[in-house]
Amino acid sequence: MLDIAVMKEEVTKILDHYKGKTYKSRKDHVLVVDSSEAPQEIVADCRTVPGIITERGCCYAGCKGVVVGPLKDTVALTHGPIGCGYYSWLTRRNKARMNEGDKHNYLPYCFSTDMQETDVVFGGEKKLRQAITEIVDIFNPPSIMICSTCPVGLIGDDIQAVARWSQEQFGIQTIAYGCEGYKGVSQSAGHHIANNGLYKNVIGTGTDPSVKKKYSVNILGEYNIGGDGWEIERMLHSLGYTILSIMSGDGSVARLRNAHFADLNLVQCHRSTNYNAELLRETYGTDWIKVNFLGVRATIKALRDMALYFGDPELITRTEEFIYGELEAIEPEIEKYKAVCQGKTVALFVGGSRANHFQGLFEEIGMETVLAGFEFAHRDDYEGREVIPFIKENADNKNIENITGQPDEKMYRLLLSKEKFEELNKEMEINYFKGMIKIMTDGSVVVDDINHYEMESFMKVLKPDLFGSGIKEKYVIHKMGTLSKQIHSYDYSGPFAGFKGAVVFAHDVAMGLTTPVWKLIKPKWRRDAAPERTLAEVL
Ligand code: CFM
């Protein structure tokens, strides 16, 4: 149990190392959870202090790397220097395979215009046209998606004009995303741009209502990292659901076109897909529910909510039987690993939703989350959707087009009557997400857009047994003698979702914690109690 007053004091000490503007900016991004002060407010989704060594990524990463990139039947063409394409090429471990009905999988390829200095000086449109011509010659894909990197916006290449040219020249749908790396303040802007592009050009363009079967759903914000999506599919298929599309892990443009025929949308990652969840609701009347397939209890809740939404007694019974069978199989395994992990603590710093989603899973193996934070989440991901109307727009998020959906005359339909909706809403909060702060215990720390200095400082204060984060932090943490697990790419493991995934996760954590190597590493700050340097001395 963490002491609120002690933690507040520690946070003050850490922040006191900052001066002037930096202090002013950072103090509002860090809070100690204190339910007596609820609702607590945090500052998020704004510019990082220059030079502070943030853990954030760029807008292009959010658009190409996260949302558009995993769609396997389109060629995602990076218009930019080769590094941008290369580093966003499957390092996230968004798996894909050819499933029944799939005709294409371009994910094993990395497509880039490989911009050089001369292209930056004289313009890159010619090279972009040439790349598209080659792509059509070699692959003749059903669609092409152009994703911009920083130099493209700086020199003003007209990617929209090239997309129109490509469409006319080859008759292939070509969508251009103006997702230059510097647009917005993080990956988050890229999610929004990608959502907009898919909503305008892909979703709803399918004309095959026969895809719709009983209990048709879309899964939004599930990227099949380490095979998570496949485990979710296994569960939903055995319960009799039809998955029309997944945005976008192991997903395809072909399936996304018919997403508007679904009865219900399931939102796994709220941050990256809340835009389309809302647009689908506004345009087609399709409700969405927030699900979380990470963690046993969370998975059970998601499956129960889904069954409840459809309200079919047979489906509800089938769901309970399924849950019972799965639990019977995994519980002894989880208990075995829990014996190792019990009582340990964890700090989590991940993108925009997993620092929230994984907390339940850690709790189930006996581990308490003492610090959690997001790289690029917005206030609603911390505080809940009720704050959305109060979020102030700034110059950066004004940059990104904000679309609202108009009801589609032919396709708009409501599955639930008003009364039924209200009744269920009380139980499962349809179209709502409560965010991170409400699930955390008093005295734990929430940090938005953590930087290197703060990460090291909190490591020393909280001494977690595990730091769940990404590749940028991993080895620094290891050098501190602490286990670090990559919650983005799952290191080389997975799936962690659903019932079976929980066992894989528990196994991995237990294995990591008991690795003998920790006995051999003692970081300097643990060896001698040398006086701490001030930030000014470090800089
Ligand atoms: Fe959503 Fe993601 Fe995440 Fe995200 Fe990401 Fe990711 Fe992430 Mo890395 S879409 S916000 S931009 S859950 S790549 S699969 S792990 S930072 S917490």
Side-chain angles (χ1 to χ4, degrees), residues 214-246:
K214 216 174 177 190
Y215 311 134
S216 290
V217 297
N218 299 308
I219 310 177
L220 307 182
E222 168 45 53
Y223 300 95
N224 203 28
I225 311 298
D228 271 359
W230 292 333
E231 173 58 9
I232 297 168
E233 265 178 341
R234 178 190 73 83
M235 295 190 294
L236 300 197
H237 283 159
S238 42
L239 285 165
Y241 290 100
T242 305
I243 302 168
L244 290 194
S245 75
I246 300 183

Side-chain angles (χ1 to χ4, degrees), residues 336-338 340-341 365 483 505-515:
K336 195 168 74 187
Y337 299 122
K338 190 176 174 179
V340 177
C341 307
I365 53 171
L483 169 65
F505 183 77
H507 162 268
D508 286 7
V509 173
M511 186 172 67
L513 288 171
T514 49
T515 300

Side-chain angles (χ1 to χ4, degrees), residues 46-326:
C46 59
R47 286 185 192 184
T48 301
V49 178
I52 205 164
I53 321 188
T54 170
E55 313 292 319
R56 276 176 167 174
C58 70
C59 175
Y60 160 83
C63 180
K64 193 272 179 183
V66 173
V67 180
V68 168
L71 293 167
K72 60 190 162 187
D73 60 344
T74 189
V75 164
L77 168 61
T78 299
H79 186 29
I82 195 66
C84 306
Y86 184 75
Y87 286 111
S88 60
W89 180 31
L90 294 185
T91 45
R92 180 163 168 252
R93 301 188 68 242
N94 47 281
K95 296 186 169 198
R97 63 186 171 202
M98 294 289 273
N99 297 319
E100 210 190 315
D102 283 338
K103 296 195 182 85
H104 312 273
N105 180 10
Y106 299 107
L107 293 205
Y109 299 93
C110 174
F111 298 90
S112 168
T113 50
D114 184 20
M115 266 181 135
Q116 303 290 323
E117 217 169 283
T118 43
D119 306 312
V120 176
V121 174
F122 298 108
E125 286 176 29
K126 202 173 139 207
K127 207 165 189 190
L128 181 58
R129 284 201 175 89
Q130 189 195 333
I132 291 171
T133 310
E134 273 178 40
I135 287 165
V136 175
D137 265 1
I138 301 169
F139 297 98
N140 196 27
S143 65
I144 297 172
M145 303 207 181
I146 305 166
C147 297
S148 301
T149 60
C150 295
V152 174
L154 295 174
I155 63 175
D157 274 358
D158 190 347
I159 54 165
Q160 299 298 343
V162 177
R164 282 194 299 275
W165 164 84
S166 163
Q167 201 137 336
E168 277 160 27
Q169 181 83 2
F170 304 111
I172 289 176
Q173 184 180 29
T174 309
I175 305 167
Y177 298 88
C179 56
E180 290 82 2
Y182 57 78
K183 242 186 209 171
V185 298
S186 67
Q187 292 96 311
S188 174
H191 301 151
H192 200 165
I193 292 168
N195 273 247
N196 287 351
L198 293 175
Y199 171 77
K200 282 185 187 166
N201 302 295
V202 176
I203 295 171
T205 57
T207 50
D208 182 11
S210 73
V211 293
K212 182 170 159 29
K213 309 255 161 41
K214 216 174 177 190
Y215 311 134
S216 290
V217 297
N218 299 308
I219 310 177
L220 307 182
E222 168 45 53
Y223 300 95
N224 203 28
I225 311 298
D228 271 359
W230 292 333
E231 173 58 9
I232 297 168
E233 265 178 341
R234 178 190 73 83
M235 295 190 294
L236 300 197
H237 283 159
S238 42
L239 285 165
Y241 290 100
T242 305
I243 302 168
L244 290 194
S245 75
I246 300 183
M247 197 175 120
S248 57
D250 198 22
S252 69
V253 171
R255 290 173 69 190
L256 211 49
R257 290 193 192 285
N258 289 315
H260 58 306
F261 290 114
D263 298 317
L264 177 67
N265 290 319
L266 311 174
V267 175
Q268 170 70 28
C269 170
H270 174 265
R271 181 64 270 131
S272 61
T273 47
N274 72 90
Y275 315 99
N276 272 347
E278 274 299 279
L279 285 169
L280 281 163
R281 190 174 68 81
E282 289 159 359
T283 315
Y284 304 108
T286 329
D287 282 318
W288 60 267
I289 57 170
K290 179 70 190 72
V291 292
N292 176 17
F293 289 108
L294 294 160
V296 175
R297 278 169 308 171
T299 301
I300 292 173
K301 178 166 180 358
L303 296 178
R304 281 188 177 149
D305 281 356
M306 290 171 67
L308 214 58
Y309 183 86
F310 288 107
D312 172 352
E314 200 199 315
L315 178 65
I316 294 172
T317 314
R318 194 159 62 233
T319 302
E320 290 307 320
E321 283 168 0
F322 178 78
I323 293 170
Y324 182 82
E326 296 278 314

Side-chain angles (χ1 to χ4, degrees), residues 451-467:
N451 56 59
H452 218 99
Y453 157 70
E454 287 167 16
M455 188 180 78
E456 285 196 37
S457 307
F458 280 116
M459 282 298 292
K460 290 175 198 172
V461 171
L462 294 164
K463 300 184 179 58
D465 299 288
L466 189 159
F467 196 98

